[in-house]
Amino acid sequence: MNNLQARNEIIINAPVSAIWAIITDINMLTRVNPGVVNASGAMDRLGATRVCQIDNKGRKGTMTEKLIELVPEKKTVWTIESDTMGMSKMLIDTRFVFHLEKQSDHKTKVISETYYRPANLLVKIMNRFMMKKMISKAQGEILSNIKSLTEK
């Protein structure tokens, strides 16, 4: 796998199955990921593709991602297939990973990791000073949203 660029984790007071249901439901993606305003496709089977309409602080575009690894109730790994915002040109071999670790019947550790390689020197500089921080912040928001949705 490529370079780990951002990693966040959270303990959620919910069973793995409840969290799994949220992170594999395309209809929940707009409630989980604050940058996604519309999503279509599937998120619950290996090889599935999702198309996300993104609005990142006024910067709008489309991102198509493919589910390249799926271990039921344990792990998902997504990669960018294409996008209209330039991410796939800036970041090489991007991977968005969720790990679910059962702590008890009603407690789960959820880990969010983002892997990629910057495509060139300018992106390496941007990555060091701003991109990693932005991705880490987004991961934290996503995890908080999952927690809120599953602990109701």
Side-chain angles (χ1 to χ4, degrees):
M1 197 171 280
N2 295 311
N3 297 340
L4 176 63
Q5 301 292 338
R7 182 182 191 281
N8 280 276
E9 64 181 60
I10 196 167
I11 298 293
I12 299 177
N13 296 309
V16 169
S17 60
I19 297 162
W20 187 256
I22 297 288
I23 69 168
T24 58
D25 183 348
I26 192 72
N27 298 311
M28 296 301 292
L29 192 56
T30 58
R31 294 177 68 191
V32 169
N33 189 326
V36 176
V37 293
N38 190 21
S40 61
M43 295 181 15
D44 58 352
R45 66 183 184 280
L46 187 61
T49 300
R50 65 185 181 194
V51 179
C52 303
Q53 301 299 318
I54 308 290
D55 186 343
N56 186 3
K57 298 177 185 167
R59 189 163 177 237
K60 298 179 182 182
T62 302
M63 187 171 293
T64 302
E65 299 169 315
K66 184 174 183 174
L67 185 58
I68 59 170
E69 188 176 341
L70 177 76
V71 181
E73 297 197 352
K74 292 192 185 297
K75 183 179 182 182
T76 61
V77 181
W78 290 88
T79 190
I80 299 173
E81 287 206 312
S82 63
D83 75 292
T84 62
M85 300 169 63
M87 293 290 290
S88 55
K89 291 180 178 153
M90 293 172 44
L91 309 176
I92 299 168
D93 295 327
T94 305
R95 303 288 186 265
F96 304 110
V97 182
F98 276 123
H99 296 278
L100 279 63
E101 298 177 2
K102 179 180 178 177
Q103 305 293 295
S104 70
D105 285 346
H106 296 286
K107 188 179 283 190
T108 306
K109 181 191 290 187
V110 183
I111 302 165
S112 177
E113 297 174 330
T114 301
Y115 295 82
Y116 57 83
R117 289 183 333 225
N120 57 50
L121 181 60
L122 178 59
V123 178
K124 283 181 184 178
I125 294 167
M126 289 171 47
N127 189 52
R128 179 179 175 126
F129 292 105
M130 104 182 158
M131 291 173 64
K132 282 184 183 186
K133 291 175 190 166
M134 289 173 30
I135 291 168
S136 183
K137 182 180 178 196
Q139 281 179 340
E141 290 176 24
I142 289 166
L143 291 173
S144 291
N145 290 342
I146 294 168
K147 182 176 178 79
S148 295
L149 290 165
T150 53
E151 287 187 351
K152 284 185 176 181

